[in-house]
Amino acid sequence: GYEFQSGGVVDMLERLKDQFGAKKYELEREEMNSKHAFQQMFQQLEDNIENAEHEISKKEEKLGETKQYKAEHEGDRATTVADKAEDEKYLSE
């Protein structure tokens, strides 16, 4: 009689199916881990940008205050120098 001889092929195909399934699971897990790592890095960079923009804003505000303070005090100094010159002129007469 005829003996079924494709059993070896079926076994090989089932082993390949199992191997491919395991490899697919491994690759999907790696992809998920990579995606998660990317999302964490992206969030960290967004946070860094936000913090840097906040620091820039604070420093620009402080610079504006410093320039205003300087202008006010330069005006005071000019007045003081003028007053001194008048006093010296008066005292020398």
Side-chain angles (χ1 to χ4, degrees):
Y2 176 75
E3 188 177 321
F4 184 70
Q5 296 185 10
S6 64
V9 172
V10 172
D11 289 342
M12 181 184 71
L13 290 174
E14 286 180 2
R15 280 195 315 273
L16 284 174
K17 179 185 171 197
D18 291 343
Q19 288 174 354
F20 289 152
K23 188 65 173 176
K24 179 184 175 199
Y25 171 78
E26 179 184 331
L27 292 172
E28 287 173 344
R29 192 180 76 222
E30 286 177 14
E31 181 182 11
M32 197 172 11
N33 288 340
S34 294
K35 184 177 178 181
H36 180 69
F38 171 80
Q39 288 171 337
Q40 283 184 318
M41 182 177 62
F42 187 82
Q43 183 63 49
Q44 181 65 45
L45 292 173
E46 281 187 328
D47 291 346
N48 290 350
I49 290 169
E50 185 178 335
N51 290 337
E53 288 173 345
H54 178 71
E55 287 299 314
I56 289 169
S57 176
K58 282 178 23 182
K59 289 181 181 187
E60 286 174 341
E61 183 179 336
K62 182 67 175 170
L63 179 63
E65 291 172 1
T66 301
K67 284 181 177 181
Q68 181 179 351
Y69 178 83
K70 179 183 176 200
E72 289 171 1
H73 285 81
E74 283 178 345
D76 291 347
R77 182 181 179 277
T79 302
T80 302
V81 168
D83 289 348
K84 180 182 176 215
E86 283 183 30
D87 290 348
E88 288 174 346
K89 181 180 176 188
Y90 175 78
L91 291 175
S92 67
E93 294 176 352

